[in-house]
Amino acid sequence: MQTERAMETVKIRVEGMSCGHCEAAVRAALESLPGVERVVSVSAATDEATVEGRPDPALVAERLEEIGYSGMVTDD
């Protein structure tokens, strides 16, 4: 019998977003990462993204930097 793992909600601080285009670029970048099951939200107003899954924090930071943003997984 397989046991389903609970989906984790992960918050990511993203600096440098200023518009809807920025939000779309960050969303696409996060969707492409291994371990991200779903991007719940991306907000330039709060400088935050929320995803479900278990992404590698180092890969999150690296990918966001590649597209011109500073980002890190937060504990809150």
Side-chain angles (χ1 to χ4, degrees):
M1 179 173 152
Q2 278 187 308
T3 304
E4 285 188 37
R5 288 193 313 185
M7 189 73 60
E8 284 188 31
T9 299
V10 178
K11 294 199 182 276
I12 303 163
R13 181 89 179 148
V14 183
E15 295 180 1
M17 293 188 293
S18 60
C19 63
H21 176 76
C22 297
E23 291 172 341
V26 168
R27 177 179 292 276
L30 294 174
E31 286 173 338
S32 72
L33 288 174
V36 172
E37 299 297 323
R38 180 172 80 101
V39 177
V40 176
S41 65
V42 177
S43 173
T46 62
D47 293 326
E48 188 174 86
T50 305
V51 302
E52 289 182 344
R54 294 176 180 257
D56 180 326
L59 288 178
V60 169
E62 181 181 308
R63 182 67 182 116
L64 291 174
E65 187 174 313
E66 287 173 357
I67 64 167
Y69 302 95
S70 173
M72 63 181 283
V73 173
T74 63
D75 292 332
D76 54 340

